Each structure stands twice: as structure tokens, then as C-alpha cells.
Amino acid sequence: MDTEQFTIPLWLELTAVGLGGIQGALFASGFRGERRLDLLGVAIIGTVMGLGGGLIRDLMLGLPPASLQSEWYLPVVVVAAFIGMLLAAPLQRVNAVIVGLDALVIGLFGAFGTSKALSLGVPIIPSIFVGICSAVGGGILRDMLMSLPVSIMHVGSLYAVAAGAGCAVLAILHLFDVPIFISGLIAVAVTTVIRWLAVIFDVSLPEQRMLYRRKVATETGLIPIVRR
Amino acid sequence: MDTEQFTIPLWLELTAVGLGGIQGALFASGFRGERRLDLLGVAIIGTVMGLGGGLIRDLMLGLPPASLQSEWYLPVVVVAAFIGMLLAAPLQRVNAVIVGLDALVIGLFGAFGTSKALSLGVPIIPSIFVGICSAVGGGILRDMLMSLPVSIMHVGSLYAVAAGAGCAVLAILHLFDVPIFISGLIAVAVTTVIRWLAVIFDVSLPEQRMLYRRKVATETGLIPIVRR
Amino acid sequence: MDTEQFTIPLWLELTAVGLGGIQGALFASGFRGERRLDLLGVAIIGTVMGLGGGLIRDLMLGLPPASLQSEWYLPVVVVAAFIGMLLAAPLQRVNAVIVGLDALVIGLFGAFGTSKALSLGVPIIPSIFVGICSAVGGGILRDMLMSLPVSIMHVGSLYAVAAGAGCAVLAILHLFDVPIFISGLIAVAVTTVIRWLAVIFDVSLPEQRMLYRRKVATETGLIPIVRR
């Protein structure tokens, strides 16, 4: 095991953090009615999506969060969140962008989580678990902060499965001493493709949207729904 | 203080983790309507109930979570969750089993939390607090993930009191140098019996069930309720 | 940097913890209907408000929570919560007291968080972030435990801004080697005054109250509201 596994390059982690921030802000900007967030609320959700996964990973590994050891993470994620807000209006209906970004972000965070855990000597199965929690943790925190049903519980099967598949592939390739650069790339690709396929074949996102609609509708009376 | 206090035997912690996984899956399988969980959702809740308490304990003690230092925890809790799912159909109406298991699990996690804290030199009162948080933490995480009202806040008085009593007994016996094996056994018994008595005398569970009914009813319109 | 920055005096942290406990209990006592909490529920919320911010701060800094290293924190916060309950009846309509206390508490926790982070060598921007999370973390945990919409997301702009301003002032003064006693005092004053002004000019609290009313109303049917 060489030392390159012990640190995720800063530029790469900041890229994932920035993409997470953009994705979070795009998601948060989409709400209307009672759940509408102000500027700061959108920035908070962007920050949570950008930094949440890494924070959970480091807590699980018993490390002080990497994002608090450097000046870079917070400015990057906040700027990314504001970019996400600006893009929200033109991209609102381009759901493909939001979902595609999301798939990439969970792939990256999953790969970071599993490889960091492995490099610290955590056994294989817990390392995969740390990767999954890094990948989906930001979204869970987001849903809790926004008082939304935690999406991974209801429609998230393929979400968590996609993350888990990528992390497992990385861990298995690690057993065969495949360099982390290659195994990480394959892991991100596996997660992203599974997630995309799930959305293309309509497995999860529409149901998720419906769930939100229904919940918002019940609470605000803003959206007419047919009671089942 | 002898060294046996410094480690909870792996087989014993895995037993508690497994029972927690079964209990979580039984609980999660019971939901219908909008809150119905798919297979993976039930497995997640089982995992949360099996590992959540220990995770919270180790975070509070500033340790890397024990469940991520060994290959055993995650397979055990996942298999336990699937056993819980298979048992859910025959046991659905046997609430006594779910409640009984739950009482035992909070007793075990409480005793583990307090004894681990004491063995690390944490003072008495915070050690009892760590035990209580270990005992009830899994349930709080479960309720948050399932978007349920956090049961300990509304009907959980005797739930937390039961956990606290067991942990306090353990801490007091520890002051008198009672061996951890004996004090732990007494602590688990105290918690379990108080919790059972609370349920038998109808203090908490029915109200809890009603609360869920009402909440589910309000959100889905599936269950007819009389509005107060 | 002198050593006095490395430790927050115990009496000062206990004062903040106690005020947080009182404030939490006052807040929690105000609920009626389905959300009404029993004695223990109010004590839990008081504890969460008193200890939550410090717990989050220490987790973010990779330290074992200070509140579990001493016998003092838990008795102080529990006694404070009971004082809060006793004061709840006479103070119920004196919202100014609840809001004023709250402003002071977030000021104190923000200053503690930022100064503790700085003293550990955390860079400036993350130190400010740790302060903000310490200041608002207790309230977020409270809202999640009470199944309330997380107030900071909806009406909390000036809440988080007030905390952030105080923490930023402290961090900037720290750059100029201003003694922590003075910079901390100024930081607490900045946060408290901004928060008070926000409330006086009606920016946030009433909306927050309305949000709760609406949410409680939707779920319980207890409060008549006009559906928008």
C-alpha cells in the first residue's frame, strides 16, 4: 500500500465539495410555498451537501473533519452554492443536470470514504460502509434540515445500492492491489452509471418528487392532490 | 479497576447488535401506507437500531466507533435485520416480543455505554448520561430517518427513565467495586423490568401507537380519525 | 497567543450551559396540544439546548466533549431546565425574556466555539464556522427532537447571521492579538445586539411563531387557521 492512498488530493476533494454545493443549491432552490428557502437557507443546504459527506466520514473514522483543517473548503462550497442558485432558474426544468450531478457527487464521496477508510487500516466491510455513509450522508442531513421525508428511506434503494456497488468495487480492486487512481475511477463510474440507469428507467426520482409533492400538499394545501 | 472492564466481550456486543437489528426490522416492517419501507429501508432501520447506540457512545467518548474496527458487526446486523423481516409476518401481532426485545436491547446498550465510559475514567454522572444516550440513541436516529415524531420526547418518559435507572445502578455498584459482570447483569435486569412494567401497566406503548396512527392519518388520509 | 485562550473558564461555560438549559425549558414548556411535552421531555430539551452546542463544537474539533469530562455540566443543565420550567408559567407571555436569553446564549456559544477552534490552530474561516455551528447547533437538535421545522432554515437568516458576525469579529480581533477576554466580550455583544435588533424590528420571531402555529394546526386541527 503506497502513501498516495493516505491522502485524497485537495483539488479533487474540493471539486467534489464544489459539485456537492452546486447540487445542493439547485435542489434547495426548487422549493416553493411553505418550504421555500431564503438565500441563506439555500447556502446552508449547499454547504451541507458539499461538506456533510466528508464530515460524517471523518467522524466515523475518528478524525477531525478534513474540511476544518484548511481555509479552502468553506469558501469553495459557499461560492459553489451561489453558482447553484444562479443556475437554478435556467436549469430548473433540466432535471437531468441535477440528477447527473448528484450521481457524480455520491460516486466521488463514496470513493473518497472507502479509500480513506482502507488507507487507515479499517477492515473491508466497514470501509464499504463508511463509503456508503459518506455518499448518502449529505442527503440525509439535507432532508432532516428541510423537514423532508428522508429520501433514501422511501425511494432511495437504488441510491444506496449505487453507492454501495461503487464502494464494494473499490474495496475489491484494493484487495488486488489495483492503484487507487484506477480503482477510484472505476468506482465512481460504477456508482454514477447505476444511478443514472435507475433514473432513466424511472425507478426512483419521479416517485421521490411525488412524495415531496404529496407531503408539501398535505401541509400547505397549496398543491391540489387526489387523496388516495 | 481490573482490565476486564476495558473491553466489552465481542460476542456479547454482537449479541446486542443482533437483537437490535432484529428489533429494528420488526418495528420497520410494521408500517403500511405512505411510510411503508422497501427491503432496503427495513435493513437500514435494522442497522441503525443495531449499531446506532454504540456509534453514539463511541462518538461521545471520542473513540473511533467499535463497530468499524471489526468485520463482524455489519454482517451480523444485516443478517439480523433479515431475520427480523422474516419474523415480522408471524410476529406482527405479538407486540410483547417487539417490546420485550426492545427492553432487553436498551438494557444492554445502556450497560455497555456506562461501563465503557467508567472504564475510560469518565466521571460518574457523565458515564450514566453516556449509557442513557447509547440506550435511546438508536431509537432517536430511527425516528428521524423514518420522519416519525421522536418517540422518546412524547411518550418515552419511562423509556429514558428505565435506561437511566439501569445505568445509575451500574455506576453505583461500580463505586463499591462490584465486578462488572454482576453489576452489568443487574443493570440490564433493572432496565428491562422497569420497561416491561411500564408497558404492562399500559403507561407508554399504546399512547405511542396512537401518536403514530394520528400522524400517519393526518399525512396520508389512510386511517380514519376523529379530529379533536 | 497566550495559554488563557486554550481553556474556557469552567464557571463561564457552566453559565452559558445553565442559560441554555433555562432557555430550552422555557421554549419547550410553551407547547400545547399534540406537541405538549411531559416533565422529562422538557428536561431533555433543556439539556439539548444547554449541552448541544458544546457537543457539536467538540465533535467538529475532534475532541471528546468537554461536558463529559466533568461532573458539573449535567447537574447544572438539569437544574437549569427545572428552573426554566418553574419560570415558564409566569414568563410565558414575556417573549422578550426568551428571545433575549436566546440571543445571549448563541453569542456565548459562538464565542466559545470560535475561540476554542482558534486556540487549537484551526484556520480562521473554519474557526468562524465552528463558532456558528456551536451557536445554532443546539437549536437544530432541539427542532429535530421536537419534530418541528428546523427554524434556522426558514426564518433563521438573521439568527445565523448574528452568530456569524460575532464569530467573525472575534476571529478578526484575534488576528490583531486582542486578548480573548475583550474580543470575546465584543463578539458576544455583536451577536446579541444584532439578534435583538432583528427581533425588535420584527424580522424573524413572529414568522417563526406563525410557522409553528401553522404546522401544529395542520397536524392537530387544534388551532383554526385560514388555508392559503
Side-chain angles (χ1 to χ4, degrees), chain A residues 40-64:
Chain A
L40 194 90
V42 174
I44 292 175
I45 294 299
T47 304
V48 163
M49 286 299 280
L51 301 183
L55 214 79
I56 287 172
R57 173 197 67 204
D58 292 335
L59 282 180
M60 291 179 82
L61 296 174
L63 301 170

Side-chain angles (χ1 to χ4, degrees), chain A residues 34-38 40-41 44-45 47 59 64-65 67-71 74-75 144-145 147 218-221, chain C residues 59-62 122-126 129-130 140 144 148-150 153-154 157 160-161 211 214-215 218 227-228:
Chain A
E34 186 148 313
R35 280 182 201 288
R36 204 172 65 80
L37 300 178
D38 56 17
L40 194 90
I44 292 175
I45 294 299
T47 304
L59 282 180
S67 50
L68 305 179
Q69 309 307 307
S70 142
E71 293 280 19
L74 281 156
M144 285 182 173
L145 282 177
S147 308
T218 314
E219 285 181 7
T220 62
Chain C
L59 282 179
M60 291 179 83
L61 296 173
V122 172
I124 298 277
I125 294 174
F129 185 64
V130 169
I140 292 177
M144 285 182 172
L148 292 170
V150 177
M153 294 308 304
H154 296 277
S157 299
V161 166
L211 194 69
R214 179 166 295 276
K215 171 110 182 169
T218 314
R227 293 264 169 153
R228 267 179 293 192

Side-chain angles (χ1 to χ4, degrees), chain A residues 33-211:
Chain A
E34 186 148 313
R35 280 182 201 288
R36 204 172 65 80
L37 300 178
D38 56 17
L39 266 190
L40 194 90
V42 174
I44 292 175
I45 294 299
T47 304
V48 163
M49 286 299 280
L51 301 183
L55 214 79
I56 287 172
R57 173 197 67 204
D58 292 335
L59 282 180
M60 291 179 82
L61 296 174
L63 301 170
S67 50
L68 305 179
Q69 309 307 307
S70 142
E71 293 280 19
W72 282 102
Y73 289 79
L74 281 156
V76 164
V77 78
V78 169
V79 169
F82 280 102
I83 293 174
M85 280 181 227
L86 294 178
L87 293 176
L91 290 184
Q92 198 122 51
R93 281 157 207 282
V94 193
N95 253 308
V97 179
I98 301 184
V99 174
L101 255 182
D102 188 44
L104 187 61
V105 170
I106 61 171
L108 286 168
F109 276 118
F112 291 169
T114 297
S115 60
K116 193 165 182 176
L118 287 170
S119 76
L120 288 164
V122 172
I124 297 277
I125 294 174
S127 291
I128 297 173
F129 186 63
V130 169
I132 297 175
C133 293
S134 306
V136 304
I140 292 176
L141 288 179
R142 175 200 68 197
D143 291 338
M144 285 182 173
L145 282 177
M146 295 183 69
S147 308
L148 293 170
V150 177
S151 58
I152 197 178
M153 293 308 304
H154 295 277
V155 291
S157 299
L158 280 158
Y159 199 82
V161 166
C167 296
V169 164
L170 192 151
I172 290 163
L173 292 177
H174 173 83
L175 283 181
F176 292 100
D177 285 322
V178 175
I180 181 68
F181 175 74
I182 295 171
S183 60
L185 215 69
I186 295 175
V188 173
V190 166
T191 296
T192 310
V193 168
I194 293 181
R195 179 74 185 132
W196 273 341
L197 289 178
V199 174
I200 289 169
F201 290 100
D202 240 14
V203 182
S204 73
L205 197 77
E207 188 181 344
Q208 186 170 353
R209 230 182 295 136
M210 204 174 65
L211 193 68

